Structures are given as structure tokens and as C-alpha cells.
Amino acid sequence: MVSGRINSPASIRIASDVVRAFGGSWEAVERASTVDADGVHVIRRSDIERARRGETVDRR
């Protein structure tokens, strides 16, 4: 699990990489994520890798 400040350079870089893996679509990221009890979108690392390979990921 990655931890740190929400707006740290590292967290912004990770978020950018995740959105890029999903073709630049925040909507695709949301479809691939689940929402935990705190309302945080959680995406499996394996789903990010699948998206990078061009596979469709939809957990909703």
C-alpha cells in the first residue's frame, strides 16, 4: 500500500500514471475501482496492469 500526503509529488505522479494506464479516462478508472468504507477509490495493481495491456477492466 502506498502512503503519504494526498497531494505530495509522489501521489500526484502515481495518480497520473494510473489515469494514463486507463487511456486518460477518469471514468474508466472509476469503473475499475471499488470504493472502501472511507469513500476511497481502490484499484488492484493487477487491474492497472491489465489496463496497460489494453484489456477492459470493470468492477462496477
Side-chain angles (χ1 to χ4, degrees), residues 1 3-5 7 14-15 17 25 28-29 31-34 36 40-42 49-51 53 57-59:
M1 182 170 146
S3 63
R5 290 188 11 236
N7 293 323
I14 290 167
D17 290 346
S25 170
V29 173
R31 283 191 304 273
S33 69
T34 57
D36 71 7
V40 176
H41 288 263
V42 179
E49 293 304 320
R50 287 176 56 205
R53 292 191 303 267
V57 181
D58 194 340
R59 298 243 172 238

Side-chain angles (χ1 to χ4, degrees), residues 10-30:
S11 67
I12 292 169
R13 193 169 38 255
I14 290 167
S16 176
D17 290 346
V18 169
V19 174
R20 190 176 308 112
F22 286 88
S25 170
W26 177 248
E27 291 81 8
V29 173
E30 288 183 318

Side-chain angles (χ1 to χ4, degrees), residues 34-48:
T34 57
V35 180
D36 71 7
D38 294 321
V40 176
H41 288 263
V42 179
I43 303 173
R44 296 177 182 180
R45 186 178 308 270
S46 60
D47 288 341
I48 296 169

